[in-house]
Amino acid sequence: MSDMGSPTLVRQPPRKDQAIVAFDFDGTLTVRDSFTQFLRWRAGQGGWFLGLTRMAPDLAAYAGDRDRGRLKAASVREFLKGVPRSQLEADAEAFAGQVWPGFMRYDALARWKDWGARGAYRVIVTASPETTVAPFARRLEADALLGTPLVFDADDRVTGAFESPNCRGEEKVRRLRAAFGQDVQLAAAYGDTSGDTEMLAIADEAGFRVFKERS
């Protein structure tokens, strides 16, 4: 599916009678922000600090406007622009495999598995790029992934832009409705920041910062 509201489906769309459960990714299923960690891991220590130096104007602007989407786009331009999709996907897969043991919250994974055992349709809704979260989603056997999709050019390289607004706040709800219908009601939703508030509001069970375990 290429429509901006469509999820990256890992398996099948939900059945009409199937409960839908949404999990934020960064800080909810994981102990820290995955995209920042991925960029730092990929760039190496020297490349990371050099990139941050070049991003000084963007970091200064963020201190004033708190626009996470703009800062994220700047980081993509700095650290990923021109990278072939195939290379980015391979790097994301390697990163997920390397950090998994110390990166995931065990209590969040237990809740995730419990919902799976109960037959729920489990979707990850994240502000991070879908491409970098996809390897984690596959390991989790997620049914769908909704994130902030990157734009690739005619040569299938990262342009440094996003296809849609940063997937946080009201955008999470918009994406859920675009994917599963305007009347979507979540059986449960879990998040850890103000960017999850609107998603939690459409859930029968709202879990805010309920996962604490660190591996």
Side-chain angles (χ1 to χ4, degrees):
M1 297 186 182
S2 60
D3 179 78
M4 287 192 299
S6 300
T8 298
L9 290 177
V10 179
R11 292 197 274 182
Q12 299 292 326
R15 302 185 307 272
K16 289 185 178 181
D17 62 342
Q18 191 173 19
I20 300 175
V21 178
F23 282 72
D24 168 58
F25 187 66
D26 299 304
T28 300
L29 283 163
T30 72
V31 299
R32 62 182 65 89
D33 182 80
S34 65
F35 190 48
T36 300
Q37 289 299 118
F38 171 72
L39 293 179
R40 186 168 188 164
W41 172 86
R42 189 176 185 279
Q45 184 173 0
W48 174 249
F49 287 112
L50 178 60
L52 290 182
T53 299
R54 287 198 284 245
M55 284 182 62
D58 303 294
L59 293 167
Y62 176 72
D65 61 28
R66 312 304 291 180
D67 189 330
R68 294 171 182 261
R70 184 178 299 173
L71 182 62
K72 185 180 297 180
S75 67
V76 170
R77 289 192 299 272
E78 175 61 38
F79 292 103
L80 296 179
K81 186 174 181 180
V83 176
R85 186 198 303 261
S86 59
Q87 184 63 59
L88 182 60
E89 290 175 343
D91 290 344
E93 188 69 46
F95 172 73
Q98 181 173 319
V99 304
W100 179 277
F103 205 62
M104 310 303 291
R105 293 191 187 276
Y106 292 150
D107 51 351
L109 293 181
R111 187 72 58 87
W112 174 272
K113 291 176 182 177
D114 178 63
W115 276 112
R118 292 156 64 179
Y121 186 92
R122 298 170 299 177
V123 54
I124 294 171
V125 189
T126 176
S128 286
E130 292 175 345
T131 307
T132 60
V133 177
F136 292 95
R138 287 192 291 270
R139 284 170 175 261
L140 289 165
E141 297 185 326
D143 293 292
L145 168 62
L146 288 166
T148 307
L150 296 167
V151 173
F152 295 88
D153 63 19
D155 295 320
D156 219 20
R157 294 176 180 271
V158 177
T159 67
F162 292 112
E163 283 188 22
S164 63
N166 194 29
C167 191
R168 73 184 309 272
E170 186 58 39
E171 182 65 12
K172 287 197 173 189
V173 176
R174 189 194 74 79
R175 294 289 303 280
L176 283 162
R177 288 173 174 163
F180 305 117
Q182 289 298 311
D183 59 348
V184 63
Q185 180 70 23
L186 303 175
Y190 303 94
D192 73 308
T193 71
S194 60
D196 300 309
T197 302
E198 290 85 350
M199 180 174 74
L200 297 178
I202 63 169
D204 296 332
E205 175 186 324
F208 183 70
R209 295 183 180 174
V210 295
F211 306 124
K212 308 292 185 181
E213 289 186 12
R214 303 174 70 92
S215 53

